[in-house]
Amino acid sequence: MDFGKFFSKEKTFRPKKKFQQGTMRYELHKKAEASLNSGLDLKSCVSLPAEEDFNDWMAVHVVDFFNRINLIYGTICDYCTDESCPIMSGGPKYEYMWCDGNKYKKPTKLPANKYIANLMDWIETIINDESVFPVSQGKQAPKSFCDSANSINLTIGLLQWFYRMYNNVYVCSLQEAHINTCYKHYYYFIVEFKLVDRKELEPLKDLTERICH
């Protein structure tokens, strides 16, 4: 499957986060990327490879998922406007409000495009923080990566936000096979390592059961 033809470079929403060639993170990234494009069973591809570090496997996937959802959203950002998407919705039963403790100190209703713009700015800041997601030669994930990610809601928080973005993509009725494949890869990963509460996955439950089981 050629993702390059579907994800046009002109549609990039944010600069792509890259791992430095020659690093172990880069090799793990290439391994994960090859799995996505190989046509293999994605459910088995998310399992931690033998003798690989879980922290690195986690960090690589978070960055890769960010890059993919970034590109996916680039395909709908032109027509997801204040008028067409007045709220950040996960369907008729779900609505998400934005709160960052800074500009928006209380949960605030925003059009989906503004919600996602704020969200992507926040995620990009974390992804580009090499003390959390190092990509350079000789740098490794902090030993406390998983513990600190849990305590300050980094990794699990990021993965949960990615789910909300997929939710919005599907609300916009964008169900291309390529997007379904990216979603399946993401879904199998969070389920494999129990990273997102099942209650958070309710909005796309029917679609998930249809394409992931």
Side-chain angles (χ1 to χ4, degrees):
M1 184 177 294
D2 187 353
F3 285 86
K5 292 181 180 178
F6 180 71
F7 295 134
S8 168
K9 291 182 179 179
E10 287 73 22
K11 288 292 186 178
T12 302
F13 189 63
R14 290 289 192 281
K16 185 177 181 180
K17 179 74 169 179
K18 297 181 179 180
F19 295 98
Q20 183 175 316
Q21 291 191 28
T23 63
M24 175 270 300
R25 287 284 178 83
Y26 178 79
E27 296 305 319
L28 282 179
H29 156 71
K30 297 304 290 184
K31 182 182 294 186
E33 188 177 62
S35 296
L36 181 62
N37 289 281
S38 66
L40 296 175
D41 177 13
L42 293 176
K43 197 170 186 178
S44 63
C45 290
V46 299
S47 300
L48 181 67
E51 300 183 4
E52 295 292 358
D53 182 76
F54 174 72
N55 293 350
D56 289 313
W57 192 239
M58 177 81 72
V60 163
H61 276 78
V62 168
V63 172
D64 281 349
F65 291 147
F66 168 76
N67 286 333
R68 289 173 196 153
I69 193 64
N70 172 19
L71 290 170
I72 288 170
Y73 190 72
T75 67
I76 69 169
C77 63
D78 289 342
Y79 58 86
C80 185
T81 65
D82 291 5
E83 292 74 27
S84 62
C85 302
I87 61 173
M88 180 63 178
S89 170
K93 297 181 180 179
Y94 304 91
E95 179 180 345
Y96 303 120
M97 293 189 286
W98 181 254
C99 179
D100 55 22
N102 186 16
K103 182 178 179 180
Y104 298 93
K105 298 184 183 298
K106 296 181 179 180
T108 304
K109 291 184 178 182
L110 293 177
N113 61 337
K114 289 184 171 60
Y115 181 105
I116 291 177
N118 286 328
L119 176 58
M120 292 298 283
D121 285 342
W122 178 74
I123 292 175
E124 190 175 28
T125 298
I126 297 174
I127 292 290
N128 288 330
D129 183 350
E130 289 213 24
S131 69
V132 181
F133 294 99
V135 296
S136 302
Q137 182 72 36
K139 293 187 178 181
Q140 296 181 348
K143 290 184 179 180
S144 59
F145 176 82
C146 290
D147 293 336
S148 63
N150 282 325
S151 63
I152 63 174
N153 206 28
L154 281 181
T155 299
I156 291 176
L158 290 174
L159 291 167
Q160 180 175 309
W161 293 114
F162 294 157
Y163 182 84
R164 292 186 179 187
M165 292 190 71
Y166 273 114
N167 214 335
N168 183 249
V169 169
Y170 283 119
V171 165
C172 291
S173 300
L174 196 60
Q175 296 192 33
E176 298 284 347
H178 315 286
I179 293 175
N180 288 345
T181 299
C182 290
Y183 173 72
K184 287 168 67 175
H185 192 216
Y186 158 82
Y187 176 79
Y188 290 141
F189 186 84
I190 61 174
V191 170
E192 171 76 11
F193 300 107
K194 299 179 175 63
L195 297 169
V196 177
D197 192 299
R198 287 283 184 176
K199 292 180 180 179
E200 292 290 336
L201 305 180
E202 283 295 315
L204 292 178
K205 182 179 178 181
D206 291 343
L207 178 137
T208 301
E209 289 180 350
R210 187 170 70 249
I211 69 174
C212 295
H213 299 291

